[in-house]
Amino acid sequence: MNKHNLIEKAYQTNDLSKGEIIFLFESITPEEREDLFSKAMQTKQAYYGNKVYLRGLIEFSNICRQDCLYCGIRASNTKVKRYRLIPEEILACCDKGYELGYRTFVLQSGEDLWYTEEILSALIQQIKRRYDAEVAVTLSIGERDVETYQKLFASGADRFLMRHETASQELYGKLHPTMSFEDRRAYLNALKGIGFQVGAGFMVGLPGQTPIDLAEDLHYLKKLHPDMIGIGPFIPHSETPLGSEKGGTINDTLVMVALARLLIPDSLIPATTALGTLHPLGREMALKAGANVVMPIITPTSVRKQYALYENKICGDDHPEDCRYCIERRIQTVGLEVDLGRGDSWQFLSNA
Ligand code: 5AD
C-alpha cells in the first residue's frame, strides 16, 4: 500500500498492523511525514481542540534505588549530588505553581523509599485540601506494592505516570538490571484497575531498539489504553553505561508521537522535555504532530540541575515563572492556546 494511503487508513480507522507501522517508520519521506503530522494534529483537534494543558512538574528527589542503564540518576552513578525535598518544600512548590495558574501537580522522583506511604499520603491530602480551586495530583514515583498504590489513590492522588519504557522484553531486560518486565506491566494494569488515570510510554532510539520494537510499543499502548502517553528520545548520559551510544532522533520521535495520536486518538500526549532538549523547537514540533500537554518544571532552581536523567536538560537555570511564560509563548507560536484546567483525559471524562 502507498504510504499516503496508510496514513489515511490510520487517520480513518485508528489502526495499523505492526507490519504497516514498520514499513511507514522505515521508509517515510519528509513529505509523507508532513502528511502524517497534519493528520495527527487534526485528530488531536477533533478530541481536544486548540487547547494545550499545562502541568507543574516538581522533581522532588533524585535518589533512586533502581539502576536503569540509560538514566543519569541511577543508583550506581556516584557523581550525582543527591537531594530530597521535604514535604514542606514540596508544598511551597505547589503554592508557587498554584499562583502561576497550574491546577495539576506532577510529583516526580527517583525510587526513593524515604517517602513512605504515610508521608506521601499526608502530602497528597494536604495538597488536595490546600486550594480554593480543585487541583489534580499526579504521582511519578516508580514501583511500589499494589497496596501502597491503593492507599495513595485513597488519599486523593488522581493520576500515576509510569512509562513501560520499551515493549521488547529482551531490551527491557538488558536495560533494567534491577526490575522485571512482567512486574512493570502488572503494575501498570494494577494502577489502571485501582482507578488512577494512568500514563505509560517509551523512549525512542534506545541502543538495540528496532522498528519492530517500536511497532510493539504502539500496539501495547493501544491495548493498555492509558490516559496519557509520554514519548521521548533516548539521550545518552556520559555517567552511565550507555554514555557513548547514539541517541534517538527528533524525526523518529515525532513520527512515534504522531502515530500514537492516530492509534490512540483520545490520549493525552505531552510534548516532552527530552524533545525540547534535543532540538530548541522540539516541543513545538511535537505540538504540531499531535501532542497536547506540556509539563513546565516548577522544581526549585537550586536543585534543578541535579535532576539530570539525561545531560543538557533545558531550563536548568530558570525559575518557575520563567518556564510558565516561556511555555505559553511557545504554545502560542504554533497557534494553540494554554488551558489551565485540570486537563483530564477523554477516557476519564467519558467514564465519569
Ligand atoms: N534519555 C531520555 N529519557 C530518559 N528517561 C530516563 N533516562 C533518560 C535518558 N537518558 C526517561 C524514562 C523515564 C522518564 C522519567 O525519563 O523514560 O521513565
Side-chain angles (χ1 to χ4, degrees), residues 55 57 106-108 138-143 149 159-164 184 188 191 196-201 227-230 270 295:
R55 322 317 198 170
L57 175 64
V106 180
L107 307 187
Q108 186 176 92
T138 303
L139 300 175
S140 179
I141 58 170
E143 299 184 8
Y149 288 152
R159 308 185 182 133
F160 202 104
L161 308 182
M162 189 161 76
R163 291 190 180 170
H164 68 280
R184 190 75 164 183
L188 281 165
L191 287 163
F196 282 105
Q197 291 184 61
V198 169
D227 299 275
M228 180 144 162
I229 297 176
M295 296 168 54

Side-chain angles (χ1 to χ4, degrees), residues 70-72 108 163 165 184 203 233-237 274 309-310:
Y70 44 80
C71 185
Q108 186 176 92
R163 291 190 180 170
E165 309 297 0
R184 190 75 164 183
M203 282 172 282
F234 159 64
I235 303 177
H237 186 298
L309 311 184
Y310 43 84

Side-chain angles (χ1 to χ4, degrees), residues 57-68 71-75 80 82-85 90 107-116 120 139-144 149 160-162 179 184 306-309:
L57 175 64
I58 306 169
E59 299 147 326
F60 66 92
S61 165
N62 69 351
I63 296 174
C64 192
R65 64 179 167 139
Q66 304 293 5
D67 214 21
C68 311
C71 185
I73 65 166
R74 64 200 299 265
V80 213
R82 304 283 171 172
Y83 73 90
R84 184 179 269 150
L85 303 184
I90 300 172
L107 307 187
Q108 186 176 92
S109 68
E111 290 200 14
D112 181 355
L113 299 182
W114 182 87
Y115 302 89
T116 58
L120 289 170
L139 300 175
S140 179
I141 58 170
E143 299 184 8
R144 300 274 177 135
Y149 288 152
F160 202 104
L161 308 182
M162 189 161 76
M179 300 198 295
R184 190 75 164 183
Q306 288 155 249
Y307 198 81
L309 311 184

Side-chain angles (χ1 to χ4, degrees), residues 137-173:
V137 172
T138 303
L139 300 175
S140 179
I141 58 170
E143 299 184 8
R144 300 274 177 135
D145 52 50
V146 173
E147 294 71 45
T148 300
Y149 288 152
Q150 278 160 344
K151 295 250 173 59
L152 298 175
F153 184 72
S155 301
D158 301 272
R159 308 185 182 133
F160 202 104
L161 308 182
M162 189 161 76
R163 291 190 180 170
H164 68 280
E165 309 297 0
T166 172
S168 155
Q169 180 155 19
E170 192 193 339
L171 185 58
Y172 189 97

Side-chain angles (χ1 to χ4, degrees), residues 94-232:
C94 294
D95 289 349
K96 182 79 211 170
Y98 189 85
E99 205 181 289
L100 292 172
Y102 300 127
R103 295 297 177 262
T104 293
F105 301 113
V106 180
L107 307 187
Q108 186 176 92
S109 68
E111 290 200 14
D112 181 355
L113 299 182
W114 182 87
Y115 302 89
T116 58
E117 185 181 300
E118 291 71 29
I119 292 178
L120 289 170
S121 290
L123 177 63
I124 294 161
Q125 284 167 6
Q126 287 186 70
I127 298 172
K128 295 290 289 191
R129 281 199 304 256
R130 203 170 171 86
Y131 305 106
D132 296 332
E134 216 213 321
V135 297
V137 172
T138 303
L139 300 175
S140 179
I141 58 170
E143 299 184 8
R144 300 274 177 135
D145 52 50
V146 173
E147 294 71 45
T148 300
Y149 288 152
Q150 278 160 344
K151 295 250 173 59
L152 298 175
F153 184 72
S155 301
D158 301 272
R159 308 185 182 133
F160 202 104
L161 308 182
M162 189 161 76
R163 291 190 180 170
H164 68 280
E165 309 297 0
T166 172
S168 155
Q169 180 155 19
E170 192 193 339
L171 185 58
Y172 189 97
K174 286 186 186 151
L175 295 172
H176 303 100
T178 52
M179 300 198 295
S180 128
F181 180 78
E182 289 88 1
D183 287 355
R184 190 75 164 183
R185 292 183 162 212
Y187 283 131
L188 281 165
N189 291 330
L191 287 163
K192 238 192 144 198
I194 290 167
F196 282 105
Q197 291 184 61
V198 169
F202 59 98
M203 282 172 282
V204 178
L206 289 162
Q209 188 180 45
T210 65
I212 305 172
D213 300 334
L214 292 168
E216 189 63 44
D217 281 312
L218 292 175
H219 272 217
Y220 168 69
L221 287 168
K222 188 162 172 62
K223 187 141 179 280
L224 177 67
H225 196 190
D227 299 275
M228 180 144 162
I229 297 176
I231 301 173

